[in-house]
């Protein structure tokens, strides 16, 4: 049985700290037996007592310390207890860490990873359930990477920590922690055809049929990835239409090759995100489509996102606010031609 996403991340941290003394962990409530709010850091303070730094409640302070550690040659990994709190460190990230390579004429770099448990569907209410990485889109010098169960989450974190010389926001959807990794082997992922793009932060494309048969492209990342696959399966069963799901892990800079190639095949595009849509991921994907992909579109692209409201404590209201499988399915049906018009046009 495969690891959970949480186990993959935890073992990656153990592996990195075992093999590279430059890796340090810093954040709130990291010490055992607590081991962090979601237990991703469990066992690390016991095994590496002198390299796990538990801090007061001061996100701006300890992110600033971590930036200094990175500039001094270390590889710090910051854990923000809930991703919602990253806004408290926004000045350190945007006005300091992300700019230092330019300010100091590339004589320094800031190889820093800030882990962000984001997302809702766990009943944590309006200030602990948000998906806020979109507010960092467009910040020069800052990379945003989001994992999902279809990539090796631990390896992705290791790439960001050991090999990326930029500050990286590493987005981990909280609902995903208990999910099993769904590995891709030999071009297959369970009942689906699978493709993985090259590069350190791959995009994964999945289809229940041949990629050449795709009727619609559904782009989703992070916590929306498995919902997108579920919607693709329902579209095939209920409508006999094929959906290609494309899941980028590099959100900034946005990896567009796999998306553009899929749109060129399908001619229809739906983009999904868990946050409210204004100024977000969906808008960026659509605006970044290359001319060839635009020329292939046969209908206006559709966006699926959360309502522009705070996330409620009530389970029913939270579910009504966040996008779900039914929303994805409805968007694909809106963008696709009806069976009658498809038959008339061949």
């Amino acid at each position: 049985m495969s690891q959970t996403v949480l186990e993959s991340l935890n073992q990656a941290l153990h592996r990195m700290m075992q093999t590279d003394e430059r890796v340090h962990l810093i954040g709130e409530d990291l010490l055992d037996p607590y081991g962090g709010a979601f237990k991703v850091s469990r066992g690390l303070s016991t095994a590496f007592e002198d390299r796990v730094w538990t801090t007061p409640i001061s996100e701006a302070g300890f992110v600033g310390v971590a930036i200094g550690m990175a500039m001094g040659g270390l590889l710090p990994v910051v854990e923000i207890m809930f991703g919602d709190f990253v806004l408290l460190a926004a000045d350190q990230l945007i006005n300091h860490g992300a700019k230092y390579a330019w300010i100091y004429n590339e004589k320094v770099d800031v190889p820093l990873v800030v882990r962000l448990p984001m997302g809702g569907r766990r009943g944590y209410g309006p200030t602990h359930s948000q998906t806020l990485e979109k507010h960092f889109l467009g910040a020069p010098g800052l990379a945003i990477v989001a994992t999902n169960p279809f990539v090796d989450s631990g390896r992705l974190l290791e790439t960001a920590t050991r090999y990326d010389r930029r500050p990286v926001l590493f987005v981990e959807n909280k609902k995903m922690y208990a999910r099993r990794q769904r590995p891709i082997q030999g071009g297959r992922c369970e009942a689906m055809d699978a493709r993985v793009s090259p590069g350190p932060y791959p995009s994964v494309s999945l289809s229940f049929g041949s990629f050449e048969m795709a009727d619609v492209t559904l782009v989703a990342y992070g916590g929306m990835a498995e919902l997108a696959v579920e919607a693709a399966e329902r579209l095939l069963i209920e409508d006999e239409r094929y959906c290609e799901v494309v899941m980028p892990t590099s959100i900034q800079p946005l990896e567009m090759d796999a998306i553009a190639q899929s749109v060129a095949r399908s001619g229809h595009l739906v983009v999904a995100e868990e946050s409210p849509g204004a100024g977000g991921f969906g808008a960026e994907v659509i605006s970044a489509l290359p001319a060839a992909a635009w020329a292939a579109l046969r209908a206006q692209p559709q966006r699926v996102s959360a309502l522009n409201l705070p996330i409620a404590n009530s389970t029913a209201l939270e579910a009504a606010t966040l996008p779900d499988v039914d929303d994805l399915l409805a968007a694909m049906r809106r963008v696709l031609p009806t069976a009658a018009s498809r038959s008339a046009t061949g």
Side-chain angles (χ1 to χ4, degrees):
M1 183 178 292
S2 63
Q3 294 177 318
T4 65
V5 171
L6 188 152
E7 290 168 343
S8 179
L9 293 169
N10 176 261
Q11 291 186 18
L13 287 166
H14 275 274
R15 187 167 59 245
M16 287 190 289
M17 296 189 78
Q18 180 68 42
T19 57
D20 193 332
E21 292 188 349
R22 297 173 301 165
V23 178
H24 288 241
L25 185 64
I26 182 169
E28 300 161 359
D29 288 341
L30 300 180
L31 300 185
D32 294 327
Y34 192 64
F38 298 98
K39 315 309 175 193
V40 176
S41 302
R42 184 161 43 197
L44 291 164
S45 68
T46 300
F48 310 100
E49 185 178 6
D50 59 341
R51 286 189 282 141
V52 176
W53 304 89
T54 192
T55 71
I57 301 174
S58 177
E59 282 76 7
F62 63 75
V63 169
V65 168
I67 289 171
M69 295 166 71
M71 294 173 69
L74 301 178
L75 299 176
V77 177
V78 172
E79 177 174 307
I80 302 289
M81 182 179 286
F82 283 79
D84 311 67
F85 308 153
V86 71
L87 298 182
L88 295 163
D91 179 64
Q92 288 291 345
L93 290 165
I94 295 174
N95 285 325
H96 299 274
K99 291 187 170 70
Y100 281 159
W102 288 298
I103 289 173
Y104 295 106
N105 198 26
E106 300 185 351
K107 293 179 180 177
V108 299
D109 49 24
V110 184
L112 164 71
V113 169
V114 180
R115 293 184 37 248
L116 302 176
M118 290 286 194
R121 310 184 203 277
R122 292 181 58 142
Y124 292 150
T127 61
H128 293 66
S129 305
Q130 300 166 97
T131 302
L132 295 177
E133 59 270 15
K134 74 170 189 174
H135 296 292
F136 293 86
L137 293 175
L142 201 60
I144 304 176
V145 175
T147 191
N148 66 66
F150 300 97
V151 296
D152 186 330
S153 298
R155 290 293 179 193
L156 205 67
L157 177 61
E158 190 165 358
T159 296
T161 304
R162 300 187 65 182
Y163 304 111
D164 203 319
R165 306 306 293 174
R166 305 165 295 180
V168 176
L169 300 184
F170 192 87
V171 180
E172 306 162 4
N173 187 278
K174 297 191 286 287
K175 186 73 174 177
M176 185 195 310
Y177 281 139
R179 300 291 298 164
R180 295 277 168 196
Q181 298 272 189
R182 300 171 72 174
I184 295 169
Q185 295 177 329
R188 300 284 292 174
C189 177
E190 302 159 8
M192 297 172 281
D193 280 354
R195 289 176 176 170
V196 181
S197 71
Y201 302 122
S203 294
V204 173
S205 301
L206 299 175
S207 175
F208 285 96
S210 163
F211 287 106
E212 303 308 319
M213 299 169 67
D215 295 300
V216 58
T217 299
L218 175 55
V219 180
Y221 77 94
M224 293 299 295
E226 287 199 303
L227 300 182
V229 170
E230 186 177 343
E233 185 174 23
R234 281 187 54 189
L235 186 74
L236 177 60
I237 294 171
E238 298 175 17
D239 297 25
E240 298 183 356
R241 301 286 187 90
Y242 287 96
C243 169
E244 180 177 345
V245 180
V246 183
M247 297 168 283
T249 57
S250 179
I251 309 306
Q252 177 171 286
L254 184 58
E255 174 53 56
M256 285 297 298
D257 287 352
I259 297 171
Q261 292 164 13
S262 177
V263 171
R265 287 190 291 271
S266 73
H268 301 94
L269 173 63
V270 174
V271 189
E273 59 195 307
E274 190 174 317
S275 59
F281 171 75
E284 284 300 309
V285 169
I286 293 170
S287 68
L289 275 181
W294 272 108
L297 283 174
R298 296 192 286 273
Q300 180 176 335
Q302 296 285 308
R303 295 164 60 188
V304 177
S305 61
L307 300 180
N308 194 27
L309 293 169
I311 298 171
N313 288 298
S314 154
T315 301
L317 290 178
E318 181 181 39
T321 302
L322 298 177
D324 59 17
V325 173
D326 287 337
D327 295 322
L328 298 174
L329 198 57
M332 289 193 284
R333 286 169 174 160
R334 284 196 302 272
V335 79
L336 285 170
T338 63
S341 63
R342 183 174 58 164
S343 176
T345 59

